[in-house]
Amino acid sequence: TRAVYCGWTLTKLADKTEIKSSSSPGESLLSCSHAYVQGEGVALTWRWQVQHKVTAGTATAGGTVAPAEQWVADGAASEPITATASDASTTFFDWTGDVKSSDNPLVVRAVTAPVSVLASFSSRICVATTGDDATADGSEGKPFASFAAAIAKAADNDVIEVAEGEYTLTAQVTVNKAVTVRGAGAGKTVLKRSASVQKMRILSVESAGAVVMGMTLDGGFLDAGNGAGACVTAGTLQDCEIMNCS
């Protein structure tokens, strides 16, 4: 934390009338002229701004952050901090440290003390309607077609990115690892029960570290019990739409 000079003000003591002020550190008081009246008092006030340092770094390999540091006025918000993956095989995962968030870019709001944040990056595994499990390696150029194959390849903390499109399912998607399954957004990435399957739950989330987000779950049907769209026994389901399930 530091105090930074930000100007001065010259005022009359009697009525607090401002004679002159400056916010330029390079402007000298010698440029200020005032006709003195006997008995009149004047006050010179130096203005200072309290600032706090916001620093950003990386908790894991796989990317960079910018800006690495900035000074922020007390109570103000930082400039956006952006985490950038080093190549297509990795992706931003989250921020840790004094602020925990999955936002990217990250804006630290209402800064009242020094702040340090660290970006984590994870391996990226791609799923797309154009994928082929037989030839896939999980890259953007060779995505998987099925969720089961992508989850089988994934390790804990990996990110499975599911491209926009409609995925017709003949079996429930089971997320039983601490991975993030991230769609392109509800209404854009759609998981739908095949008409050839009479009864099927769309999604089951079964790991405490699992997160499934950004997709629509459509058409789940069970003749008994609940959770035809999704059953979450551990983990998190967020920013998803569930429709036409019973």
Side-chain angles (χ1 to χ4, degrees):
T1 300
R2 68 182 185 184
V4 176
Y5 165 74
C6 60
W8 50 264
T9 303
L10 192 66
T11 57
K12 295 180 181 179
L13 287 177
D15 57 9
K16 307 301 182 183
T17 302
E18 182 180 299
I19 300 169
K20 186 169 183 177
S21 65
S22 172
S23 297
S24 172
E27 184 173 1
S28 170
L29 276 169
L30 295 176
S31 64
C32 176
S33 61
H34 172 62
Y36 176 72
V37 177
Q38 187 175 2
E40 177 187 59
V42 296
L44 173 63
T45 303
W46 299 96
R47 299 197 303 274
W48 301 85
Q49 182 186 75
V50 175
Q51 298 179 344
H52 308 289
K53 194 174 187 179
V54 176
T55 57
T58 58
T60 61
T64 59
V65 298
E69 63 179 47
Q70 57 183 289
W71 288 95
V72 180
D74 185 65
S78 73
E79 294 298 317
I81 307 169
T82 302
T84 304
S86 56
D87 57 49
S89 68
T90 60
T91 186
F92 166 76
F93 185 71
D94 67 0
W95 297 98
T96 56
D98 294 328
V99 177
K100 295 174 174 57
S101 174
S102 59
D103 292 344
N104 189 32
L106 172 70
V107 175
V108 183
R109 305 189 184 280
V111 177
T112 57
V115 174
S116 175
V117 294
L118 296 172
S120 294
F121 298 87
S122 298
S123 295
R124 177 187 183 221
I125 299 172
C126 296
V127 175
T129 56
T130 56
D132 183 346
D133 288 350
T135 59
D137 59 12
S139 66
E140 190 170 1
K142 293 183 177 181
F144 288 100
S146 72
F147 290 84
I151 292 168
K153 178 180 174 64
D156 284 354
N157 298 319
D158 283 355
V159 174
I160 299 173
E161 292 194 349
V162 187
E164 183 173 347
E166 184 174 297
Y167 297 80
T168 301
L169 305 177
T170 57
Q172 166 185 288
V173 173
T174 301
V175 182
N176 54 9
K177 294 180 179 179
V179 298
T180 296
V181 182
R182 185 163 61 201
K188 295 181 179 180
T189 298
V190 180
L191 280 58
K192 188 171 184 177
R193 173 176 60 91
S194 170
S196 66
V197 179
Q198 184 178 5
K199 302 173 186 177
M200 190 190 77
R201 172 180 287 127
I202 302 297
L203 173 70
S204 177
V205 185
E206 303 172 2
S207 173
V211 179
V212 178
M213 60 192 300
M215 54 187 69
T216 293
L217 313 178
D218 185 5
F221 179 78
L222 299 174
D223 57 5
N226 299 315
C231 178
V232 182
T233 55
T236 302
L237 181 69
Q238 66 184 57
D239 301 329
C240 288
E241 175 186 41
I242 299 175
M243 59 186 294
N244 304 320
C245 294
S246 61

